[in-house]
């Protein structure tokens, strides 16, 4: 027999609905009357359960509108140059990289120009699915010139690329250039990111340089827009 207060039992059930995705970020929850009817309890009990979940930052009340599942998007500061693993570590998130593809590849002409490499010069092409707290958040397709990274390995790319560059290669990363484009993902990206449907997502084209001016990577990243948001601070 469950001895915990009834409102805590209701809160636990609602929390389970949220964590399992049955109530998504930004969704309005049913009215107090509807929930009281569903769980066969009083509105006072429902109100206590909701207040508990608000205090746990799972729900938020909007005056004159209702109660909503609080958005838990990860904020990315576009003006800060840091690796994905480093960024998630500052947020106390657990990351994991799943290698989808690891091969040598001759990139397209446009990518060759960005990387400033000769025609037919090989690159490592690495496709990684990047997980945060067990959830696939970003698909990253990266090209790295073989002449710069002859020692690159599958195992290295399962960890932090930037950490390898700065700590193992002892190189300094200078800057990153990014283009952000909203797109409708194809079926492959939709499936890898575990999207329920082909909803708009953010595609980022990115290339980064060392202090020497050399371009050491070209990447295309696909971010789940329901889990990730970009933050821009503009000063005047």
């Amino acid at each position: 027999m469950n001895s915990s207060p009834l409102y805590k039992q209701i809160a636990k059930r609602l929390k389970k609905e949220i964590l399992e995705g049955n109530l998504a970020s930004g969704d309005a929850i049913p009215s107090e009357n509807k929930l009281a009817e569903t769980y066969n309890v009083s509105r006072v009990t429902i109100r206590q359960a909701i207040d508990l979940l608000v205090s746990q930052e799972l729900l938020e009340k909007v005056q004159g509108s209702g109660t909503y599942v609080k958005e838990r998007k990860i904020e990315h500061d576009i003006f800060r140059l840091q690796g994905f693993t480093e960024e998630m570590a500052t947020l106390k998130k657990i990351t994991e990289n799943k290698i989808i593809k690891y091969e040598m590849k001759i990139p397209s002409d446009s990518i060759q120009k960005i990387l400033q490499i000769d025609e037919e010069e090989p690159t490592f092409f690495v496709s990684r699915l990047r997980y945060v707290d067990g959830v696939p958040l970003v698909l990253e397709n990266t090209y790295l010139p073989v002449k710069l990274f002859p020692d690159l390995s599958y195992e290295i790319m399962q960890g932090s690329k930037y950490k390898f560059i700065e700590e193992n290669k002892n190189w300094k990363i200078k800057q990153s250039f990014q283009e952000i484009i909203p797109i409708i993902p194809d079926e492959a990206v939709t499936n890898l990111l575990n999207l329920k449907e082909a909803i708009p997502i953010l595609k980022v084209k990115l290339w980064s340089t060392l202090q020497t001016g050399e371009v050491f990577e070209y990447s295309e990243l696909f971010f789940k827009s329901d889990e990730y948001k970009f933050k821009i601070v503009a000063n005047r």
Side-chain angles (χ1 to χ4, degrees), residues 84-226:
F84 182 82
T85 304
E86 178 188 3
E87 180 181 28
M88 293 302 112
T90 62
L91 298 173
K92 296 181 170 43
K93 301 288 185 180
I94 299 171
T95 58
E96 179 189 356
N97 294 321
K98 179 181 177 183
I99 307 293
I100 306 299
K101 193 171 287 187
Y102 177 89
E103 63 186 15
M104 276 194 183
K105 189 173 185 178
I106 303 298
S108 65
D109 291 346
S110 59
I111 296 176
Q112 287 174 11
K113 288 178 182 176
I114 291 171
L115 290 174
Q116 300 169 10
I117 60 177
D118 296 331
E119 187 180 348
E120 300 303 312
E121 189 173 323
T123 62
F124 283 108
F125 172 72
V126 187
S127 181
R128 303 192 290 180
L129 193 56
R130 317 201 72 174
Y131 288 77
V132 175
D133 293 341
V135 177
L137 188 66
V138 183
L139 174 65
E140 176 196 78
N141 295 330
T142 301
Y143 295 83
L144 300 157
V146 173
K147 66 180 180 182
L148 288 178
F149 300 98
D151 51 347
L152 192 72
S153 69
Y154 186 98
E155 289 71 27
I156 287 168
M157 293 304 290
Q158 286 182 306
S160 169
K161 174 179 57 186
Y162 280 15
K163 183 177 180 181
F164 168 71
I165 289 170
E166 293 182 322
E167 295 186 8
N168 293 74
K169 306 288 282 186
N170 202 25
W171 293 343
K172 290 190 178 298
I173 297 171
K174 182 181 181 182
Q175 57 190 354
S176 171
F177 302 86
Q178 303 179 34
E179 295 178 0
I180 304 173
I181 311 160
I183 65 164
I184 298 293
D186 60 24
E187 186 178 355
V189 174
T190 298
N191 290 337
L192 284 169
L193 290 177
N194 198 26
L195 300 171
K196 293 180 180 178
E197 56 184 339
I199 60 172
I201 64 171
L202 295 174
K203 177 181 179 180
V204 175
K205 294 182 178 181
L206 175 154
W207 54 100
S208 304
T209 66
L210 302 170
Q211 287 289 353
T212 59
E214 289 178 283
V215 180
F216 69 85
E217 71 164 328
Y218 171 79
S219 297
E220 293 185 352
L221 304 102
F222 302 85
F223 291 86
K224 289 180 76 172
S225 55
D226 59 341

Side-chain angles (χ1 to χ4, degrees), residues 57-108:
E57 298 191 341
L58 287 169
L59 296 177
E60 63 180 340
K61 291 182 177 180
V62 179
Q63 190 171 2
S65 178
T67 304
Y68 297 84
V69 178
K70 192 166 184 177
E71 291 194 5
R72 292 175 290 153
K73 290 187 178 182
I74 295 171
E75 279 192 1
H76 170 66
D77 187 346
I78 197 170
F79 289 112
R80 243 184 119 189
L81 177 53
Q82 56 184 336
F84 182 82
T85 304
E86 178 188 3
E87 180 181 28
M88 293 302 112
T90 62
L91 298 173
K92 296 181 170 43
K93 301 288 185 180
I94 299 171
T95 58
E96 179 189 356
N97 294 321
K98 179 181 177 183
I99 307 293
I100 306 299
K101 193 171 287 187
Y102 177 89
E103 63 186 15
M104 276 194 183
K105 189 173 185 178
I106 303 298
S108 65

